[in-house]
Amino acid sequence: MTAEGSRGAVYRQEDDYDRRMSPYDPSAYPPFAVTVDLVVLTVRRHALCALAVRRGEPPFQGRWALPGGFVRPDEDLGAAAARELVEETGLCAHDPGTPLPEAGNGAHLEQLATYGAPERDPRMRVVSVAHLVLAPDLPAPRAGGDANSARWAPVDELLDQEGGFGREEEQPVPLAFDHARILADGVERARSKIEYSSLATAFCPPEFTVGELRRVYEAVWGVALDPRNFHRKVTGTPGFLVPSGGTTTRQGGRPAQLFRAGGATLLNPPMLRPEV
Amino acid sequence: MTAEGSRGAVYRQEDDYDRRMSPYDPSAYPPFAVTVDLVVLTVRRHALCALAVRRGEPPFQGRWALPGGFVRPDEDLGAAAARELVEETGLCAHDPGTPLPEAGNGAHLEQLATYGAPERDPRMRVVSVAHLVLAPDLPAPRAGGDANSARWAPVDELLDQEGGFGREEEQPVPLAFDHARILADGVERARSKIEYSSLATAFCPPEFTVGELRRVYEAVWGVALDPRNFHRKVTGTPGFLVPSGGTTTRQGGRPAQLFRAGGATLLNPPMLRPEV
DNA sequence: ACAAAAGTGTTGGATTTACACCCATGA
DNA sequence: TCATGGGTGTAAATCCAACACTTTTGT
């Protein structure tokens, strides 16, 4: 352990930091590392998937983890998350003020929660501000050019503590650190938020059909919805969808109207998630 | 500025902190101070109020601020918030796992959001994990024995950027730091959460009447509710309230049944907040 | 012609609202 | 007796789930 910056050192523990004067006295407060971790969700092949990166170094070497990195000395938390997102996926999400939901270039980014248990990283005291990203279906992820060190995985698979091997040769090992918990919290947030907000459109391309939007709800909630009532509901909610004029038959069947996301962010009345 | 720990110093900016090996290398990551700030809400005299403490030192000397303090080196975030709460109010709220809502000794504590804009504290780089506390009406707050350095203030008054002087001689100055934003976020969270959860009971004493619970909703939402429909709604929602057997006439009029909070945390169907 | 997906109409039941009305106490 | 808050009944309006049925394409 070095003299300063290590756990267990003795600091002047003034509870009311607000009453302190000295501007920069490192001995007066315990230093933490602050990082951002990203829960990046998308809907692929009718399943809710999250972005995972493979760890190349200990601890948890070889295990899957959420993407993330340090917050820089002069960077806001949301900006750090947006930067990491670009670096890991090429996705551009506009940085909102910390807890403001906001759509950027298709993707939605918001702060999720902060995780700071003392032993969550065995190397040092790390406080991680997790962020949630909802993105449309993307090409295979790049991670520093290295393929197969990053992938989209169904969240059920990543959270499955039991067996449940993926179709591939992937192992059912839990995620590194407390990332399973973070991912579960992010998934829960997404599930409840599409109920009363228009966020489900963040999973869709710029133009989409009502059926495509319905399949997003079905994948995120893991339920089947009545296509007819769903159609009435979403087209009848003011500000949710605006027709873009075109039609498509990319799903087969009768041509479907194309829509864009409307201006409304809060849905009133909300979408109803079927019981159990 | 001292050599290390100050803004603008140059660190090895590895984006992927997960790939680093060295356990405790302070030059490898930028150190932050991590604090918790508390939004403590209660309902007093038919108004939603928040706990504010007066700052005795610069910056923002003499201004009102939210209570808070440093996270200790071996302390979890929720534990730090619970500790600060006890120190400032004597209230006991059980520490939940980070984002888990949980009731302790009457009060509810949950993580709210994290604020880390680079210039939010002029002294140093501080990341503050804000927590939300919902408490029943309390005796006058104590703050280190010093009265009049802590008070309950109506949130409207604390958030009013314009005039709107309080009844007292209090000034309409905005809160210190970014605490107005934090308070506003906390209030918004409380307003929306009592809609679909049983959290409104956290504002009530252990035993309360339906009318008292209704006045909580009215104060938090700032609306008037129909007492008759409200009664049917809350008593008809399974798990929300359980009769404690007793009655009271402390509100005058016909004796009212006393209830305790039931086991349910999520309300289905939710309470409906009247439009506009 | 047939399958598949999009969309409209209709109906019965549940929920919500608005308000009339009665109940039990203290002053 | 009156004022005050507690609590029940009821009818109209609204919302929602279920499903029959029509439309428009590709094969």
Side-chain angles (χ1 to χ4, degrees):
Chain A
M1 283 190 179
T2 60
E4 98 320 305
S6 58
R7 254 198 306 282
V10 176
Y11 307 92
R12 293 193 288 111
Q13 290 192 341
E14 289 184 78
D15 298 324
D16 256 327
Y17 78 97
D18 284 341
R19 299 215 163 74
R20 295 188 316 102
M21 283 282 315
S22 51
Y24 300 101
D25 178 1
S27 74
Y29 66 93
F32 291 73
V34 175
T35 62
V36 290
D37 281 325
L38 295 178
V39 177
V40 189
L41 299 180
T42 196
V43 173
R44 317 193 83 196
R45 292 185 268 117
H46 225 273
L48 183 63
C49 294
L51 184 60
V53 298
R54 197 195 289 274
R55 292 184 52 77
E57 306 289 341
F60 301 102
Q61 184 168 28
R63 298 263 286 276
W64 293 100
L66 300 177
F70 278 110
V71 177
R72 294 182 176 165
D74 281 300
E75 188 180 47
D76 200 354
L77 303 173
R83 173 178 54 75
E84 290 289 341
L85 182 64
V86 173
E87 290 172 9
E88 305 272 355
T89 67
L91 250 181
C92 181
H94 184 251
D95 166 26
T98 306
L100 277 173
E102 174 63 47
N105 190 0
H108 165 93
L109 185 153
E110 70 178 43
Q111 195 186 101
L112 176 57
T114 299
Y115 301 81
E119 301 294 341
R120 62 181 295 276
D121 188 321
R123 294 167 296 178
M124 55 187 168
R125 184 70 200 264
V126 178
V127 168
S128 181
V129 184
H131 288 252
L132 177 64
V133 177
L134 308 186
D137 198 355
L138 294 171
R142 60 155 211 218
D146 188 355
N148 118 325
S149 71
R151 65 161 183 154
W152 292 109
V155 296
D156 298 334
E157 199 173 308
L158 289 173
L159 293 175
D160 209 354
Q161 301 290 8
E162 317 305 322
F165 291 80
R167 235 166 346 294
E168 338 276 319
E169 76 290 347
E170 289 307 338
Q171 72 287 23
V173 213
L175 289 169
F177 303 105
D178 52 0
H179 288 187
R181 171 59 162 306
I182 299 176
L183 175 59
D185 291 344
V187 169
E188 185 47 42
R189 172 92 130 244
R191 286 195 173 132
S192 66
K193 240 179 150 169
I194 63 173
E195 235 173 308
Y196 57 90
S197 81
S198 61
L199 267 184
T201 58
F203 286 116
C204 295
E207 293 198 332
F208 53 90
T209 70
V210 172
E212 286 161 354
L213 183 62
R214 176 172 47 82
R215 279 180 277 276
V216 164
Y217 275 93
E218 291 177 333
V220 176
W221 284 344
V223 298
L225 300 174
D226 185 301
R228 300 151 301 184
N229 292 333
F230 183 87
H231 186 280
R232 223 192 325 265
K233 181 93 181 201
V234 297
T235 56
T237 299
F240 194 6
L241 303 180
V242 300
S244 76
T247 62
T248 182
T249 61
R250 61 188 177 220
Q251 303 287 343
R254 166 175 165 180
Q257 238 186 312
L258 284 169
F259 294 87
R260 297 179 179 283
T265 61
L266 256 43
L267 262 32
N268 216 306
M271 302 296 298
L272 292 186
R273 169 156 41 164
E275 325 265 323
V276 183
Chain B
M1 283 188 179
T2 60
E4 92 330 295
S6 58
R7 254 199 307 284
V10 176
Y11 307 92
R12 294 192 288 110
Q13 291 193 340
E14 290 184 77
D15 298 322
D16 256 327
Y17 78 98
D18 283 341
R19 299 215 163 73
R20 296 188 315 102
M21 282 285 312
S22 51
Y24 301 101
D25 179 359
S27 74
Y29 65 93
F32 291 73
V34 176
T35 64
V36 289
D37 283 325
L38 296 178
V39 176
V40 189
L41 299 180
T42 196
V43 173
R44 315 193 83 195
R45 292 188 267 120
H46 226 274
L48 183 63
C49 293
L51 183 61
V53 298
R54 198 196 287 275
R55 291 183 54 75
E57 305 289 341
F60 301 101
Q61 185 169 28
R63 297 263 288 275
W64 292 99
L66 299 177
F70 279 109
V71 176
R72 293 181 175 164
D74 280 301
E75 188 179 47
D76 200 354
L77 302 174
R83 173 178 54 75
E84 291 288 341
L85 183 65
V86 174
E87 289 171 9
E88 306 270 356
T89 67
L91 252 180
C92 182
H94 185 250
D95 165 28
T98 307
L100 276 174
E102 174 63 47
N105 190 0
H108 165 92
L109 186 153
E110 69 178 44
Q111 195 187 101
L112 176 57
T114 299
Y115 301 81
E119 302 294 340
R120 64 181 293 278
D121 188 320
R123 294 167 297 180
M124 55 188 169
R125 184 70 199 264
V126 178
V127 167
S128 179
V129 184
H131 288 252
L132 177 65
V133 177
L134 308 186
D137 198 355
L138 294 172
R142 60 154 211 218
D146 188 357
N148 119 324
S149 71
R151 66 161 184 155
W152 293 109
V155 296
D156 297 334
E157 201 173 307
L158 289 172
L159 292 175
D160 210 353
Q161 300 290 8
E162 317 305 322
F165 290 80
R167 233 164 351 293
E168 339 276 320
E169 75 291 346
E170 290 306 341
Q171 69 287 26
V173 213
L175 289 168
F177 303 106
D178 51 0
H179 288 186
R181 170 59 161 307
I182 298 176
L183 174 59
D185 291 344
V187 169
E188 185 46 44
R189 172 91 129 245
R191 287 196 172 130
S192 67
K193 238 179 151 168
I194 64 173
E195 233 172 312
Y196 57 90
S197 82
S198 63
L199 267 184
T201 58
F203 286 115
C204 296
E207 292 198 332
F208 53 90
T209 69
V210 172
E212 286 162 353
L213 182 63
R214 175 171 47 81
R215 279 179 277 275
V216 164
Y217 276 93
E218 291 177 332
V220 176
W221 284 346
V223 298
L225 299 174
D226 185 300
R228 291 127 347 162
N229 293 332
F230 183 87
H231 185 281
R232 227 192 321 266
K233 180 92 182 204
V234 295
T235 56
T237 300
F240 193 5
L241 302 182
V242 301
S244 76
T247 62
T248 183
T249 61
R250 62 187 176 222
Q251 302 288 342
R254 165 175 168 182
Q257 239 186 311
L258 283 169
F259 293 87
R260 296 180 179 283
T265 62
L266 255 42
L267 263 32
N268 215 307
M271 302 297 298
L272 291 186
R273 170 153 42 161
E275 325 265 321
V276 183

